[in-house]
Amino acid sequence: MNEEQLKEKIRLLKQQKHAIILAHYYQDKAIQEVADFVGDSLGLSQQAARTDAAIIVFAGVHFMAETAKILNPACKVLLPDLDAGCSLSDSCRAEDFRVFRENHRDHISITYINCSAEVKAHSDIICTSSNALKIVQSIPDGTPILFAPDKNLGKYLVSKTGRDMLLWDGACEVHTAFSYDKLTALMKRFPEARILVHPESETQVLDLADFIGSTASMIDYVKRSNASTFIIATEAGILHEMSKAAPGKTLIAAPAVENNSCACSECRFMKMNTLEKLYACLENETPEIDIPEEIRIKALKPIERMMELSI
Ligand code: 13P
Ligand code: SF4
């Protein structure tokens, strides 16, 4: 079966089963093309919460599919490959986080959505890169804040808000692999280029940016900007939607250091999903995301607080 035939079969199965496919911008082009909605973490959560589909196939990583299930428990949520995890989420084990919270009981905990359902269940409020600034600013001055698990996003928020937050020591292996030296060399070759960086990146790379924001806001920036050349420091899958949104503009993927697994800026977890696995998952209705109800209820609260602040 060729790619087009496979896509057609997926589209037919979606109709028969009253299913939708939600895909993150980091997914392969072919997966984005069969998706009903492609978006960032916040947009995908909002879509998951409002759909009346019987099945959501989540073309993304495990914590995203879990968030969809937490928000829409009546829906069967499938993930094409259960091993599609996240290095950032893995850097924060639920038991360690519970102890950390116990040791800082006076702190309110703002937790980035890239974490497990159990970690969410131990949190006060969730955020994504789209709304993190707004959420930190919503906490009254003087209330101590604990921010987990991404220390780079945390440092960025500290610099923007002046709030002295206690940071968990976690990071994303993709966004911390951008090479400062290669990026500055590239900037010399393309002095007219605007530099866009995701806030999960390290401070020295963020300091080079003309724009810092979530994947969705980066696409929006490129669309609206008068500039014609952009260097993009986030996972390379975003270039597909970006080039559709801003045809004719020159988009250059920021280079990663040599010693990461591929010297590219691909997320090995996001790329575990393939069109073939997506088809098999929809046909067999497995692997399915299952969360104990007690944890789901606890994890829902801080997500709902985020949703209320994101309207
Ligand atoms: P956003 O798409 O919400 O900006 O998140 C990026 C990311 O790394 C997801 O894992
Ligand atoms: Fe996790 Fe980083 Fe991959 Fe996003 S890009 S899923 S934060 S490892």
Side-chain angles (χ1 to χ4, degrees):
M1 209 182 329
N2 67 29
E3 188 177 297
E4 284 317 308
Q5 289 167 329
L6 195 52
K7 282 183 186 162
E8 205 37 50
K9 286 193 124 190
I10 291 171
R11 290 189 184 105
L12 273 173
L13 263 185
K14 273 200 303 184
Q15 274 179 6
Q16 283 165 12
K17 298 198 174 205
H18 191 36
I20 59 164
I21 298 175
L22 302 182
H24 190 268
Y25 291 124
Y26 297 165
Q27 292 293 288
D28 275 340
K29 177 173 174 280
I31 293 181
Q32 294 192 34
E33 283 167 353
V34 291
D36 297 273
F37 179 82
V38 184
D40 69 356
S41 307
L42 179 64
L44 289 164
S45 303
Q46 288 165 330
Q47 291 293 325
R50 71 170 68 114
T51 186
D52 61 0
I55 298 176
I56 294 174
V57 183
F58 213 111
V61 292
H62 194 269
F63 76 82
M64 295 179 173
E66 267 191 342
T67 307
K69 185 69 186 175
I70 293 165
L71 284 161
N72 198 337
C75 202
K76 187 179 257 192
V77 178
L78 308 173
L79 182 66
D81 189 328
L82 276 188
D83 288 333
C86 166
S87 60
L88 182 50
S89 176
D90 288 349
S91 65
C92 188
R93 286 180 48 235
E95 182 51 21
D96 299 338
F97 186 66
R98 188 188 62 76
V99 172
F100 187 58
R101 283 229 62 187
E102 290 222 328
N103 290 338
H104 302 94
R105 284 171 190 253
D106 56 332
H107 284 60
I108 189 158
S109 111
I110 303 181
T111 311
Y112 193 40
I113 198 163
N114 297 40
C115 63
S116 66
E118 287 93 331
V119 169
K120 288 184 176 76
H122 291 305
S123 303
D124 293 314
I125 183 160
I126 302 301
C127 72
T128 76
S129 50
S130 290
N131 54 29
L133 196 55
K134 195 173 169 187
I135 285 174
V136 172
Q137 284 166 339
S138 76
I139 308 299
D141 278 341
T143 308
I145 301 173
L146 181 159
F147 188 86
D150 191 357
K151 64 178 172 193
N152 291 310
L153 174 60
K155 279 185 209 162
Y156 169 68
L157 293 167
V158 168
S159 75
K160 291 293 279 185
T161 61
R163 297 292 292 259
D164 181 22
M165 304 195 298
L166 190 57
L167 305 181
W168 184 270
D169 187 17
C172 158
E173 66 180 24
V174 178
H175 289 92
T176 51
F178 291 114
S179 158
Y180 177 84
D181 292 342
K182 287 187 192 174
L183 182 53
T184 47
L186 197 60
M187 288 164 70
K188 282 189 191 129
R189 276 181 57 207
F190 298 95
E192 75 288 9
R194 298 279 158 82
I195 318 302
L196 280 64
V197 183
H198 193 278
E200 288 170 21
S201 303
E202 285 170 334
T203 307
Q204 60 167 358
V205 173
L206 287 173
D207 285 345
L208 300 173
D210 295 298
F211 178 78
I212 297 168
S214 73
T215 50
S217 65
M218 282 179 167
I219 293 171
D220 197 50
Y221 180 92
V222 170
K223 209 160 101 180
R224 289 169 193 276
S225 170
N226 294 329
S228 59
T229 306
F230 303 85
I231 298 174
I232 314 296
T234 191
E235 213 269 3
I238 197 175
L239 297 179
H240 172 61
E241 183 64 28
M242 218 173 235
S243 55
K244 269 174 53 192
K249 296 199 174 175
T250 303
L251 308 173
I252 305 165
V257 287
E258 295 287 340
N259 58 359
N260 80 343
S261 52
C262 59
C264 65
S265 47
E266 290 202 336
C267 172
R268 63 192 166 104
F269 301 106
M270 286 279 179
K271 274 18 188 202
M272 280 181 187
N273 296 322
T274 61
L275 212 50
E276 287 77 12
K277 286 185 200 169
L278 199 154
Y279 173 67
C281 149
L282 187 51
E283 167 135 285
N284 304 323
E285 299 188 21
T286 185
E288 184 179 353
I289 299 292
D290 184 30
I291 304 171
E293 188 58 7
E294 191 194 331
I295 292 175
R296 191 192 71 79
I297 298 283
K298 283 191 190 154
L300 180 62
K301 257 192 176 168
I303 300 175
E304 282 181 339
R305 284 188 75 184
M306 169 184 81
M307 293 300 215
E308 284 157 19
L309 284 166
S310 305
I311 297 162

